Amino acid sequence: MKTVLISFSISLIISMALIMISTLFSKKTILDREKASPFECGFDPKSTSRLPFSIRFFLIAIVFLIFDIEISILLPLGLTSGSLPPLIWLSGGAVFLMLVTLGLYYEWKENTLDWIS
């Protein structure tokens, strides 16, 4: 336990020293308006350089993650098929798929999956 504490302290000291040295010797010290703005031939930019984030894209990504996690939950059911009775693991998988399908149906009815609206 003592060696873990000592190694943690040493790594913390080295990390803090590197942060201090990098802030002291960094080239960029002051952000002025000219360097922070996008370059457009010397003129002021017409609009912001960053595009707004699409909430629709975020929701589609969340749906993809849900179905990706669903696959990782359903794959071990095949491994447990030898140790459990088939009725138990089939009913468990069917209930899980039914819940995910009901969630997808709810999102479809709420028009969450429509890209243009």
Side-chain angles (χ1 to χ4, degrees), residues 53-69:
F53 185 72
S54 173
I55 290 295
R56 295 284 180 196
F57 177 75
F58 178 72
L59 291 175
I60 296 293
I62 293 296
V63 169
F64 172 76
L65 283 176
I66 288 171
F67 282 101
D68 194 35
I69 291 171

Side-chain angles (χ1 to χ4, degrees), residues 66 69-71 73-74 91-101:
I66 288 171
I69 291 171
E70 169 200 351
I71 290 172
I73 290 174
L74 286 177
S91 62
V95 167
F96 183 73
L97 281 175
M98 184 59 75
L99 287 173
V100 172
T101 305

Side-chain angles (χ1 to χ4, degrees), residues 25-94:
F25 293 117
S26 67
K27 291 181 181 179
K28 196 187 276 188
T29 56
I30 299 173
L31 289 175
D32 57 359
R33 182 177 175 268
E34 302 299 325
K35 290 192 178 197
S37 67
F39 180 71
E40 289 188 14
C41 301
F43 298 106
D44 287 333
K46 291 182 179 179
S47 62
T48 178
S49 62
R50 298 185 188 268
L51 297 174
F53 185 72
S54 173
I55 290 295
R56 295 284 180 196
F57 177 75
F58 178 72
L59 291 175
I60 296 293
I62 293 296
V63 169
F64 172 76
L65 283 176
I66 288 171
F67 282 101
D68 194 35
I69 291 171
E70 169 200 351
I71 290 172
S72 66
I73 290 174
L74 286 177
L75 280 177
L77 280 178
L79 296 175
T80 61
S81 64
S83 61
L84 292 175
L87 185 62
I88 291 177
W89 66 267
L90 277 175
S91 62

